[in-house]
Amino acid sequence: ITAGILFILFAKAIRSKTVKPRMDVPIFSVNDTVLVVAVLECLLLGALLLFITQIPLAQRLFLSLFLLSLGVDFLDTLIYWAEPLKARWLSDHLYTFYVLKPLGLMAAPALYLYLKSMLFSDFNWCQRRLLHFAPALLITLLLPFYLLVRDEGFFARARYDYEVLFHDLPFQLYLFVKYGLYFTYGLISYRLLATYHRHLEQGYSNLKSVDPWWLRLLVIGFLVIWSLYLTIYLSHLL
């Protein structure tokens, strides 16, 4: 339904631009439209999950955090690459393109913890599990210093020229941490599924009765996607 409404609005915007040009009507590309749909779907589902009390609290929180983090990461991508959006609403905002970046780092550990809470009945929340989100917290703490040490001219150039931003050393470290986290947590999530199958065959008592085919699809799908992210990043870097 969301996708249908957005594509109707998209078609209507193109028609209005063709019939009567208006400079204040942003025209999104197909890629931008797909990102808008992804943002709305992830944020909507992530918010709704918080109110589904039939799902155990830990699973609900981790899955919601995973979806919300993905939605924010898609939104961060959208506001940088959607040229009409930048030109119409963000032309005077230099720092908007950075404030959402730490939240995107929470998706991979949230997926891993959701998977663990799904498969093992003895899973319990403890403070040491917060260490999985330490990279996101570290980037959040370092972000104000990064924004302060760079002059406005750098941010003005980086807003429209990605190569300026890409070759900035602190931003490179952020990308390395982000894609490294994605790939690493994708691997350990896949390993966790393999451990579950091995324990299931050996009759461990701490396992939940879960049909894991859709979990395999979820984990393998994101592992493939995150591997592509890392490969594309390294190719661009080299």
Side-chain angles (χ1 to χ4, degrees), residues 28 33 53 55 63 67 92 108-109 127 150 156 160 168 170 181 183 188 195 202 204 207 230 235:
F28 292 113
T33 307
T53 56
I55 302 176
L63 184 56
L67 290 171
D92 298 325
Q127 290 185 351
R150 291 288 185 274
Y160 291 105
D168 186 44
L181 274 179
F183 182 70
I188 63 175
T195 302
Q202 297 172 358
Y204 276 61
L207 301 181
L230 181 62
S235 299

Side-chain angles (χ1 to χ4, degrees), residues 81 162-163 166 172 175 179 183 224-238:
W81 291 104
Y162 183 69
E163 290 301 315
F166 185 80
Q172 272 295 328
L175 291 179
Y179 296 130
F183 182 70
V224 170
I225 292 170
W226 290 340
S227 298
L228 288 174
Y229 278 0
L230 181 62
T231 302
I232 292 170
Y233 161 67
L234 293 176
S235 299
H236 191 182
L237 185 63
L238 298 174

Side-chain angles (χ1 to χ4, degrees), residues 38-104:
V39 169
L40 291 178
E41 295 289 352
C42 287
L43 296 182
L44 180 62
L45 289 175
L48 288 176
L49 273 171
L50 295 174
F51 300 97
I52 303 178
T53 56
Q54 292 87 347
I55 302 176
L57 180 61
Q59 296 177 29
R60 196 190 330 157
L61 291 178
F62 289 134
L63 184 56
S64 177
L65 180 60
F66 171 66
L67 290 171
L68 291 174
S69 181
L70 280 182
V72 170
D73 193 42
F74 293 150
L75 178 61
D76 180 61
T77 303
L78 177 68
I79 64 175
Y80 185 84
W81 291 104
E83 293 297 336
L85 188 63
K86 285 199 292 189
R88 177 65 179 86
W89 289 300
L90 300 174
S91 58
D92 298 325
H93 297 78
L94 296 178
Y95 308 119
T96 308
F97 310 102
Y98 305 91
V99 294
L100 299 179
K101 294 191 181 299
L103 298 178

Side-chain angles (χ1 to χ4, degrees), residues 6 23 35 68 74 79 95 100 124 127 135 153 155 159 175 188-189 191 197 202-203 209-210:
L6 285 169
M23 297 304 294
L35 275 174
L68 291 174
F74 293 150
I79 64 175
Y95 308 119
L100 299 179
N124 61 327
Q127 290 185 351
F155 293 114
R159 179 176 50 184
L175 291 179
I188 63 175
S189 296
R191 183 182 177 185
H197 285 295
Q202 297 172 358
S209 179
V210 177

Side-chain angles (χ1 to χ4, degrees), residues 102 136-145:
L137 177 61
L138 179 61
I139 296 297
T140 302
L141 295 176
L142 293 177
L143 181 61
F145 296 98

Side-chain angles (χ1 to χ4, degrees), residues 1-14 26-42 71 74-75 77-79 81-85:
I1 293 173
T2 305
I5 293 173
L6 285 169
F7 276 108
I8 290 171
L9 293 175
F10 177 65
K12 183 178 179 181
I14 293 178
I27 303 299
F28 292 113
S29 68
V30 174
N31 291 336
D32 297 338
T33 307
V34 172
L35 275 174
V36 170
V37 173
V39 169
L40 291 178
E41 295 289 352
C42 287
F74 293 150
L75 178 61
T77 303
L78 177 68
I79 64 175
W81 291 104
E83 293 297 336
L85 188 63

Side-chain angles (χ1 to χ4, degrees), residues 90-159:
L90 300 174
S91 58
D92 298 325
H93 297 78
L94 296 178
Y95 308 119
T96 308
F97 310 102
Y98 305 91
V99 294
L100 299 179
K101 294 191 181 299
L103 298 178
L105 299 177
M106 303 177 74
L111 175 63
Y112 169 74
L113 291 174
Y114 167 70
L115 191 65
K116 201 163 188 178
S117 66
M118 227 3 232
L119 298 177
F120 297 93
S121 59
D122 59 352
F123 176 87
N124 61 327
W125 175 256
C126 56
Q127 290 185 351
R128 64 184 176 84
R129 298 196 189 277
L130 291 173
L131 292 175
H132 290 283
F133 303 105
L137 177 61
L138 179 61
I139 296 297
T140 302
L141 295 176
L142 293 177
L143 181 61
F145 296 98
Y146 174 72
L147 297 179
L148 286 173
V149 298
R150 291 288 185 274
D151 56 67
E152 290 189 0
F154 167 80
F155 293 114
R157 295 191 303 274
R159 179 176 50 184

